[in-house]
Amino acid sequence: AVPEGLPMAVTIALAYATTKMLKDGNLVRQLAACETMGGATVVCTDKTGTLTQNKMTVVRGFIAEREMRSRSDAQSFFEQLPKDLQKLLMQTIAINSTAFEGPDERGHIDFIGSKSECALLGFSKVCGLDYRSTRADHKPVRVYPFSSEKKTMTTIVPAESEGTFRIHAKGASEIILRSCTKYLDRDGQVQELDETQRNEFLRYISTFANNALRTFALAYKNIDSSELDCCNDDEAPLSDLIWIGVVGIQDPLRPGVRQAVEDCHHAGVIVRMITGDNIETARAIARDAGILTKGGQAVTGPQWRAMSPEEQHALLPRLQVMARSSPMDKQIMVQRLQERNEVVAMTGDGTNDSPALKLADVGFSMGIAGTEVAKEASDIILMDDDFKSIVKSLRWGRAVNDSVRKFLQFQLTVNITAVLLTFISSVFSSDGQSALTAVQLLW
């Protein structure tokens, strides 16, 4: 039989824990999630904004065969570029973007929108340029928004020559580079992209990524009106592009993340990082955070999807990092882990993350960067988007389990003692009376 005070004890423990969790930055939407979190064995976390500060700045660059080595060199680097290339670079940064400058929640003027786009606009501002006038002079004809599946964004605007248009493309460096057949040399002249030059660009991409920088590539192409008419409304025209360059964007780790990851490991919880970044960038960040350890494996989303379920199960014990992931990869990850009887906590901030958040045993959405759809699908909202808050929720979940265990220990001890005392005293009593009356037993 269930001890009569157990439902009340569980409810009180959960209510107390959720109140304390709110002070630690966890808004619990589903009461049962607090208890479930206490038994979590795997935490699958995003990188940007959860492990990192989500404060991105352009610190490196390789544009038109010229290298920028630090952010302090940005203005002098830009001034060394040919005038036509300066104009082209400003256009592709300003036009092919949805970010803008305005007041934030605290009333401070800052760039608002995708943090990667904000970093690029910040770079243009450091170079002394005004993105607003460029946008005002170039009204888009077509826009293909950035998506987590394609990892690119494309905008088509009228070019200076009558009847011609310019395609501006940006996104994941290796994807953009695969779409390029030409490049701009240091004089701003268009050259054929041979294998030697392609390997040189890949070397810079790898160098930036190994320094824990997010790599973003920029490219363009001029087309005429007939080619524009042939463009698909759903698929961006990413073929025969001209490579402009690649920038390295820095997003530092949050303070205390490494210690929080170590706390998870000591508690027997495995932390896996799932990100849309380049695999070298993902490895470098995971290594700095203490997630990628000796013997751990890192794979890309396409590699993961290409595996059979059996191969995925064989890889899972060593899998610690997934790069270039899509929302579907998160769902598959949750399914495979649950098939191994793991209790999975999953983080997500986008609308596309909602199915994975619903599927996970505990879904964490982001209170600052998360969409309303993701918040509705989640069990707990991280008010500060910080990984350390997940560790705090793990502690409170285990505290609830400990409280219920202590109550059961107390209740069962008292009940068994009362039953034995009543039975033995009734057997050995001369008049068959129990040492405890009915009222005393109920009390």
Side-chain angles (χ1 to χ4, degrees), residues 265 286-287 290-297 317-318 320:
H265 290 162
R287 211 172 283 118
I291 294 174
L292 186 59
T293 57
K294 187 177 180 181
Q297 294 287 318
R318 305 188 312 279
Q320 295 174 339

Side-chain angles (χ1 to χ4, degrees), residues 1-310:
V2 177
E4 65 275 6
L6 181 60
M8 182 180 66
V10 171
T11 304
I12 291 173
L14 288 173
Y16 179 77
T18 53
T19 304
K20 290 294 184 180
M21 285 172 68
L22 184 58
K23 295 179 181 178
D24 287 337
N26 292 282
L27 176 60
V28 180
R29 298 185 65 254
Q30 303 292 336
L31 200 62
C34 178
E35 184 181 5
T36 306
M37 193 60 199
T41 57
V42 176
V43 174
C44 298
T45 177
D46 293 324
K47 177 187 76 70
T48 304
T50 308
L51 295 172
T52 62
Q53 298 177 23
N54 208 15
K55 295 177 181 176
M56 300 191 186
T57 51
V58 175
V59 295
R60 298 284 299 274
F62 188 69
I63 297 170
E65 298 186 299
R66 297 170 186 262
E67 185 177 1
M68 184 184 80
R69 296 184 179 277
S70 69
R71 184 169 177 78
S72 58
D73 298 337
Q75 189 166 3
S76 60
F77 167 79
F78 183 78
E79 290 170 353
Q80 290 173 6
L81 298 174
K83 292 295 182 184
D84 290 343
L85 184 53
Q86 289 181 4
K87 187 176 179 181
L88 173 64
L89 183 60
M90 187 58 210
Q91 283 180 6
T92 195
I93 289 175
I95 297 168
N96 194 25
S97 173
T98 57
F100 61 94
E101 200 170 20
D104 59 14
E105 301 87 357
R106 294 164 293 182
H108 301 151
I109 300 299
D110 200 0
F111 289 110
I112 299 170
S114 163
K115 294 302 179 181
S116 298
E117 292 182 348
C118 291
L120 289 170
L121 289 180
F123 170 73
S124 69
K125 189 174 183 179
V126 169
C127 294
L129 303 171
D130 180 19
Y131 75 95
R132 293 187 185 88
S133 59
T134 305
R135 282 188 184 174
D137 295 338
H138 300 82
K139 297 298 182 184
V141 177
R142 291 191 187 182
V143 177
Y144 300 87
F146 184 89
S147 70
S148 54
E149 290 84 12
K150 295 170 184 156
K151 310 289 185 190
T152 61
M153 177 179 177
T154 307
T155 302
I156 305 176
V157 296
E160 294 176 356
S161 303
E162 187 70 28
T164 61
F165 299 86
R166 178 165 287 173
I167 299 172
H168 293 283
K170 71 175 180 189
S173 48
E174 65 272 19
I175 294 175
I176 294 292
L177 184 57
R178 279 200 300 268
S179 303
C180 292
T181 56
K182 296 181 175 68
Y183 73 98
L184 293 178
D185 64 14
R186 61 186 300 108
D187 297 321
Q189 300 301 312
V190 178
Q191 305 291 343
E192 289 295 326
L193 182 58
D194 57 21
E195 203 60 34
T196 303
Q197 199 61 46
R198 190 180 296 274
N199 290 334
E200 177 73 2
F201 295 148
L202 286 171
R203 186 175 67 82
Y204 273 95
I205 292 169
S206 181
T207 300
F208 292 171
N210 287 329
N211 285 303
L213 302 180
R214 169 177 283 189
T215 58
F216 236 61
L218 307 171
Y220 81 104
K221 181 175 76 168
N222 292 325
I223 59 173
D224 56 31
S225 55
S226 61
E227 289 176 291
L228 177 65
D229 294 336
C230 295
C231 289
N232 193 311
D233 289 336
D234 299 320
E235 285 290 328
L238 296 177
S239 61
D240 300 324
L241 296 178
I242 302 170
W243 175 269
I244 299 173
V246 61
V247 295
I249 300 175
Q250 186 181 53
D251 187 13
L253 281 177
R254 286 180 179 270
V257 160
R258 189 176 183 88
Q259 183 59 50
V261 171
E262 286 181 10
D263 290 344
C264 283
H265 290 162
H266 291 154
V269 178
I270 299 171
V271 181
R272 291 183 167 93
M273 188 178 84
I274 304 176
T275 177
D277 280 347
N278 178 294
I279 191 164
E280 282 91 357
T281 305
R283 279 198 189 105
I285 289 286
R287 211 172 283 118
D288 291 344
I291 294 174
L292 186 59
T293 57
K294 187 177 180 181
Q297 294 287 318
V299 299
T300 63
Q303 290 172 339
W304 172 253
R305 291 191 295 274
M307 294 179 184
S308 66
E310 293 76 18

Side-chain angles (χ1 to χ4, degrees), residues 424-434:
I424 293 171
S425 61
S426 299
V427 169
F428 289 97
S429 173
S430 58
D431 56 358
Q433 293 293 320
S434 166

